[in-house]
């Protein structure tokens, strides 16, 4: 059995939950704004609030992973979180440009 340090396990779980949150955000956005047959006249407020909260959780998780991976000097997770932050921000900007 492979035993890892608590710091690496924490980074792994932060990365895992960041990916799950990102997939959840993409799924909600696609189901609400891209795939429905009828376009709603106004934005559903509960979905917008949920996506705002999920983006907040994602930002906190990615920021925590970035800081901790930098503090322990783990190159793999530093690259992962930096790329993931760029992908998340690119998705946010793309969505904003499509609907804003």
């Amino acid at each position: 059995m492979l035993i890892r340090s608590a710091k690496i396990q924490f980074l792994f779980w932060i990365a895992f939950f960041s990916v799950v949150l990102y997939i959840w955000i993409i799924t909600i956005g696609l189901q609400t704004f891209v795939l429905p047959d009828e376009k709603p006249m106004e934005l559903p407020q509960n979905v917008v609030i949920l996506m705002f909260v999920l983006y907040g959780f994602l930002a906190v998780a990615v920021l925590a992973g970035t800081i901790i991976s930098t503090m322990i000097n783990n190159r793999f997770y530093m690259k992962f979180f930096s790329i993931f932050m760029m992908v998340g921000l690119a998705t946010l900007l793309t969505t904003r440009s499509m609907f804003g």
Side-chain angles (χ1 to χ4, degrees), residues 62-73:
V62 169
L63 186 63
T66 304
I67 290 171
I68 292 171
S69 62
T70 304
M71 288 173 73
I72 65 172
N73 201 16

Side-chain angles (χ1 to χ4, degrees), residues 1-15:
M1 181 171 164
L2 188 62
I3 298 175
R4 301 256 185 217
S5 71
K7 296 173 194 171
I8 302 299
Q9 287 181 2
F10 181 78
L11 286 174
F12 170 78
W13 286 110
I14 288 289

Side-chain angles (χ1 to χ4, degrees), residues 27-98:
T27 304
I28 290 172
L30 286 175
Q31 287 178 349
T32 305
F33 301 113
V34 178
L35 298 177
D37 294 334
E38 302 174 357
K39 295 290 181 188
M41 296 303 283
E42 58 186 49
L43 292 175
Q45 290 298 333
N46 55 352
V47 174
V48 172
I49 291 171
L50 176 65
M51 290 184 75
F52 181 74
V53 169
L54 289 177
Y55 265 117
F57 285 150
L58 180 66
V60 167
V62 169
L63 186 63
T66 304
I67 290 171
I68 292 171
S69 62
T70 304
M71 288 173 73
I72 65 172
N73 201 16
N74 188 318
R75 296 279 181 202
F76 174 75
Y77 282 109
M78 285 192 325
K79 287 180 186 177
F80 173 81
F81 284 114
S82 63
I83 291 171
F84 198 71
M85 187 179 291
M86 286 186 266
V87 168
L89 288 175
T91 305
L92 183 65
L93 290 175
T94 304
T95 331
R96 177 75 179 128
S97 67
M98 287 173 55

